[in-house]
Amino acid sequence: MIESQGSAIPRVLVLGGTTEASRLAQALADAQVDAIFSYAGRTESPLPQPLPLRVGGFGGVDGLCAWLQDQHISHVVDATHPFAAQMSRNAATACAVTGIPLLALERPAWQAQVGDHWQHVPDIASAAQALPHTPSRIFLAIGRQHVEPFLALQQHWFLLRLVDAAVALPPERGHIVLARGPFTVAADTALLQQHRITHVVAKNSGGSGAEAKLSAARALGLPVILIDRPAIPPRPTTGRVDEVLQWIAAPHGSTGVATERGV
Ligand code: NAP
């Protein structure tokens, strides 16, 4: 069991929804740290976790402040997806207001390699505008939120890959694959070829589980429209689960091994 070098025994909130959050949950459970795992509740069948779960929004910054204090939380780990910017901003504000230490567990962004044909765009709207005017076959690898601006472009055919079938797509407009990562380069290459994809649209999520589509696009010489990460206020950040455990065990309020980072 981890005991903080400060006085009280830690009680941790993990803001989840990523592979890294699941890895952290396992590490906290193994170390017998008192922790609660939070899901937004976006998917019908969220992965089970080895920690007590809560599901659903907190009710903005005020709701989160009240919840943190009510639950006697001593540490918050923001392990949400890099595009879950609202939750990350709320966590930063709520931790500043309540004085509860915050650490982000965040994977580095993907970097272009030789052979990549990436067009960087700042947001969803720009990604939709970056698509060609001529009819094209698009792998829209952005999850189920924010697909409307793309589907409004009637000339294109879309391949969507989703965790659950939450989007209606007429067969003449495209195809939905239900799958949860991690994905392999071989399978993603075959998927792009099978559907005669001409363009890939993706978020710069980083991490290994969803990187295969970029390697597949590189292998096939396909252009990728890559959406840059949204801005999040600077906060202590690490990419390593073991450093999160060290931080929890460190004297209260210390940022320990983590570095200040924000984009
Ligand atoms: P978001 O836009 O940043 O958050 C919107 C609201 O959803 C938040 O203000 C909060 O509601 C609630 N929320 C988000 N994450 C939460 C969590 N872990 N626990 C409790 N409430 C949460 O978030 P999003 O982009 O919709 O992402 C939602 C979830 O899906 C996150 O957990 C994220 O890690 C995961 N995810 C997102 C993406 C993506 O591309 N955005 C990809 C993979 C996984 P209140 O204000 O009411 O507290």
Side-chain angles (χ1 to χ4, degrees):
M1 174 183 290
I2 282 192
E3 288 201 15
S4 170
Q5 292 168 25
S7 50
I9 292 179
R11 180 164 161 78
V12 180
L13 170 65
V14 178
L15 296 167
T18 58
T19 308
E20 292 72 19
S22 298
R23 286 194 193 123
L24 174 62
Q26 189 60 59
L28 291 170
D30 291 345
Q32 297 180 35
V33 176
D34 182 13
I36 301 178
F37 191 101
S38 179
Y39 274 127
R42 295 281 189 275
T43 58
E44 285 168 14
S45 53
L47 288 176
Q49 298 294 341
L51 295 175
L53 273 185
R54 67 163 303 286
V55 180
F58 297 93
V61 171
D62 291 347
L64 180 56
C65 287
W67 189 92
L68 292 171
Q69 289 171 324
D70 184 58
Q71 291 290 322
H72 304 289
I73 297 296
S74 64
H75 298 72
V76 175
V77 182
D78 179 1
T80 58
H81 190 271
F83 280 74
Q86 188 59 56
M87 187 70 252
S88 292
R89 290 183 197 120
N90 289 358
T93 306
C95 286
V97 167
T98 57
I100 298 171
L102 168 71
L103 180 61
L105 175 60
E106 188 181 75
R107 49 205 186 192
W110 291 316
Q111 304 294 330
Q113 298 181 22
V114 174
D116 281 325
H117 303 283
W118 290 2
Q119 178 179 357
H120 289 272
V121 293
D123 50 33
I124 294 280
S126 312
Q129 286 168 7
L131 288 177
H133 297 296
T134 50
S136 304
R137 296 177 69 85
I138 317 291
F139 180 22
L140 193 54
I142 62 167
R144 70 173 182 175
Q145 295 189 75
H146 314 299
V147 296
E148 292 79 9
F150 298 93
L151 300 186
L153 301 170
Q154 297 293 329
Q155 71 272 35
H156 299 313
W157 185 95
F158 293 96
L159 175 65
L160 270 57
R161 180 159 62 192
L162 306 173
V163 171
D164 44 49
V167 175
L169 187 63
E172 67 276 11
R173 295 300 321 283
H175 179 69
I176 296 177
V177 176
L178 294 182
R180 201 192 283 271
F183 303 105
T184 67
V185 178
D188 274 7
T189 305
L191 186 73
L192 297 180
Q193 288 178 312
Q194 177 194 351
H195 293 286
R196 294 177 286 116
I197 295 301
T198 59
H199 296 74
V200 176
V201 178
K203 296 174 175 174
N204 196 338
S205 303
S208 57
E211 194 175 11
K213 59 180 175 276
L214 300 177
S215 304
R218 185 184 312 126
L220 297 172
L222 296 180
V224 176
I225 296 161
L226 196 62
I227 305 167
D228 290 335
R229 296 178 171 197
I232 293 171
R235 65 241 163 109
T237 300
T238 180
R240 292 178 49 167
V241 165
D242 61 337
E243 291 189 348
V244 178
L245 269 75
Q246 288 171 28
W247 173 74
I248 291 167
H252 193 73
S254 162
T255 56
V257 290
T259 55
E260 289 278 340
R261 193 161 73 211
V263 288

